[in-house]
Amino acid sequence: MKYSASKEDYLKAIFHLQTEQSMVTTNALAVAMQARPASITDMLKKLKSEKLLIYERYKGFRLNNEGKKIAVQVIRKHRLWEYFLVHKLKFGWDEVHEVAEELEHITSKKLIDQLDAFLNFPVTDPHGDPIPDRSGKFNSPKQLNLLDFPMNTPAKVSSVASQTSDILELLDHKSIHIGTRLEIRKKFLFDNSIELKVKNQAPITVSEQVAQKIFVHNDE
Amino acid sequence: MKYSASKEDYLKAIFHLQTEQSMVTTNALAVAMQARPASITDMLKKLKSEKLLIYERYKGFRLNNEGKKIAVQVIRKHRLWEYFLVHKLKFGWDEVHEVAEELEHITSKKLIDQLDAFLNFPVTDPHGDPIPDRSGKFNSPKQLNLLDFPMNTPAKVSSVASQTSDILELLDHKSIHIGTRLEIRKKFLFDNSIELKVKNQAPITVSEQVAQKIFVHNDE
DNA sequence: ATTTATTTTTAGGCTAATCTAAAAAATAAA
DNA sequence: TTTATTTTTTAGATTAGCCTAAAAATAAAT
Ligand SMILES: [Mn+2]
Ligand SMILES: [Mn+2]
Ligand SMILES: [Mn+2]
Ligand SMILES: [Mn+2]
């Protein structure tokens, strides 16, 4: 029960994709993995023969319980390492993803459980994503996309759905972080941009593309 | 300037071997790498073409400056991670080597320099081996093998030249650690075993094979 | 219901890192 | 200084993970 870094990355990508579409397609995974469709098919055959997913040619695929279990453990490692990098090694939240992408493949159960304890069992990573516990359980807090959130209602930023440093840099610049309390002041129908008010700050405007990536929950 | 985990392991192994023999042999490296001689030859050709060592067929090989530089950085990473595992994640000194063998290949300069700072720039790893600084300089303290050390002279254990958990477990059991102060009481010529006295403890005997692995320095 | 376009799979290749078995070179022994 | 032994290298395979180009299956359009 030890899988290559590449296989772990595949399982993780499929896991994320199948929360949206119930059957994942070869092309979708090819985009996510930045590989050609032919390579995806090759790997699917291997993962199927290792009984980590169900797959019938031309019909799509999805992880079975065993595949999910492994994917979740990789996600757990990824997010714990991101937390470590930000809170212990003073990395910015926009520079941890690449490194965690490597660290997540270190194979030592003790390592990750001790790390978890050392970090005091954090429940969300620096991007606000939930960290599953050692049994694989997520404590996902309810959250809404900023675009669907009501105006003039206290909100707290809970996660940012992107790992690319461009958007994180932009949010950094506008002083929007996980935990930032804000309210929506205006929604411009013309371009779906949104004006936000953060306490003690001048109002700021974010584009639809940015708002789409921000998730919040009710702040009390 | 990025090398595979395998190449880094080769460079590291050659680096260690060439402190003893000035020219390293294919067979010696095959033993160290637990691989067949044919595989060693294959890799040597690659490392040579990447200008990391000097090598002429049938004549032996040794790292050039560039090869040494890379090896030292890998060693630095290995030892810093070992330190982290023992001092932050409560690993025993006998269970860190395998994990560090993987962690040492993570490729992020920032990661390792921040880790170094986080650990307060340690100078020796849990086995007493010196940790090179970011420029690659070793601050190696003078040390003598226990077999060559005079009797009835205060000594302090500075390092243990083995990564296998068998010997570390044995030393653990006999309460010998890095930093332990002891004196040699007797040297038995019959089998070269040695009787040691640790303060407030009954005298203990170690075999020649064990003594060979223990390095000490004068304790004032 | 054909034709056309898209998606997915197969066929065949490539590279890195390993292996075994056989050949060649170097070293040691007779 | 031949012969035998040991060491090292070459030759040829294998596996994982990727690729391109072509074929096959499915979906969309006329
Ligand atoms: Mn990864
Ligand atoms: Mn994250
Ligand atoms: Mn290693
Ligand atoms: Mn060590």
Side-chain angles (χ1 to χ4, degrees), chain B residues 161-197:
Chain B
S162 176
Q163 316 288 7
T164 65
S165 75
D166 324 15
I167 189 176
L168 296 176
E169 196 192 7
L170 181 153
L171 293 177
D172 236 21
H173 180 72
K174 294 199 194 284
S175 295
I176 296 177
H177 302 101
I178 304 297
T180 298
R181 284 152 220 278
L182 48 79
E183 287 188 24
I184 298 177
R185 278 296 144 77
K186 274 202 157 66
K187 296 183 179 188
F188 297 102
L189 292 174
F190 172 65
D191 62 353
N192 285 319
S193 66
I194 289 180
E195 190 180 278
L196 301 172
K197 184 71 186 64

Side-chain angles (χ1 to χ4, degrees), chain B residues 78-79 82 96-97 125-129 163:
Chain B
H78 184 103
R79 292 180 181 169
E82 283 191 343
V96 296
H97 183 73
D125 84 356
H127 310 105
D129 294 311
Q163 316 288 7

Side-chain angles (χ1 to χ4, degrees), chain B residues 6 9-14 28-36 40:
Chain B
S6 186
D9 284 337
Y10 271 86
L11 294 173
K12 197 164 52 113
I14 299 169
L29 186 52
V31 171
M33 290 297 298
Q34 308 206 85
R36 317 319 307 268
I40 304 299

Side-chain angles (χ1 to χ4, degrees), chain A residues 78-79 82 96-97 125-129 163:
Chain A
H78 184 104
R79 294 179 180 169
E82 283 190 344
V96 297
H97 184 73
D125 84 357
H127 309 105
D129 294 312
Q163 315 289 7

Side-chain angles (χ1 to χ4, degrees), chain B residues 5 9 12 100-102 104-105:
Chain B
D9 284 337
K12 197 164 52 113
E101 202 54 57
E102 290 185 49
E104 69 189 357
H105 304 293

Side-chain angles (χ1 to χ4, degrees), chain B residues 3 7 10-11 14 29 39-64 66-67 70:
Chain B
Y3 302 96
K7 280 178 184 167
Y10 271 86
L11 294 173
I14 299 169
L29 186 52
S39 310
I40 304 299
T41 302
D42 283 352
M43 186 59 95
L44 286 174
K45 286 194 259 186
K46 291 175 201 164
L47 295 176
K48 187 192 178 182
S49 86
E50 294 181 77
K51 301 205 202 313
L52 298 176
L53 44 72
I54 51 157
Y55 162 60
E56 276 188 285
R57 73 198 195 305
Y58 292 109
K59 290 206 155 186
F61 46 91
R62 90 191 320 277
L63 299 181
N64 63 17
E66 184 59 19
I70 295 157

Side-chain angles (χ1 to χ4, degrees), chain A residues 5 8-9 12 74 78 98 100-105:
Chain A
E8 289 188 344
D9 284 336
K12 196 164 53 111
V74 178
H78 184 104
E98 296 306 310
E101 202 53 58
E102 289 185 48
L103 284 164
E104 69 190 355
H105 304 293

